[in-house]
Amino acid sequence: METVNAVEAIRELATSLGEDAVVTDPEELALYRDPYDYRGSDRYSASAVVNPRSVEDVQAIVRIASRHRVPLWTIGQGRNNAYGGAAPI
């Protein structure tokens, strides 16, 4: 069974979509954490956040994540805060 390779997936995402479309800075990633988890928890922190600009970007993200077996969790415009944050629980 293939293992998850998030580092390589993030590298490929940045190459495909541009460095500015991929967030990996821990301080910026903290903005995407689950707002309902207790303060200071990093239990459900994302490895990266990707900001697609087109349908083709979304398609590339799904292909790359699939190839590297990296799970995806979608969020949009802050509308799913009632269901948790950017990381799956």
Side-chain angles (χ1 to χ4, degrees):
M1 184 171 162
E2 231 178 292
T3 58
V4 171
N5 189 347
V7 173
E8 184 59 35
I10 293 168
R11 189 175 307 131
E12 194 174 332
L13 287 163
T15 299
S16 180
L17 281 71
E19 299 260 341
D20 60 326
V22 181
V23 176
T24 57
D25 177 66
E27 286 185 30
E28 288 184 62
L29 288 176
L31 300 172
Y32 293 91
R33 66 179 290 282
D34 183 348
Y36 299 104
D37 202 5
Y38 62 90
R39 184 176 301 236
S41 170
D42 64 355
R43 184 172 45 166
Y44 300 110
S45 296
S47 299
V49 171
V50 184
N51 298 296
R53 295 180 192 97
S54 66
V55 170
E56 292 77 18
D57 283 356
V58 174
Q59 291 169 337
I61 292 165
V62 172
R63 275 194 300 274
I64 292 166
S66 177
R67 184 168 37 256
H68 294 283
R69 302 183 55 81
V70 174
L72 297 176
W73 186 256
T74 60
I75 62 168
Q77 301 176 8
R79 292 190 178 140
N80 69 334
N81 284 339
Y83 308 111
I89 297 178

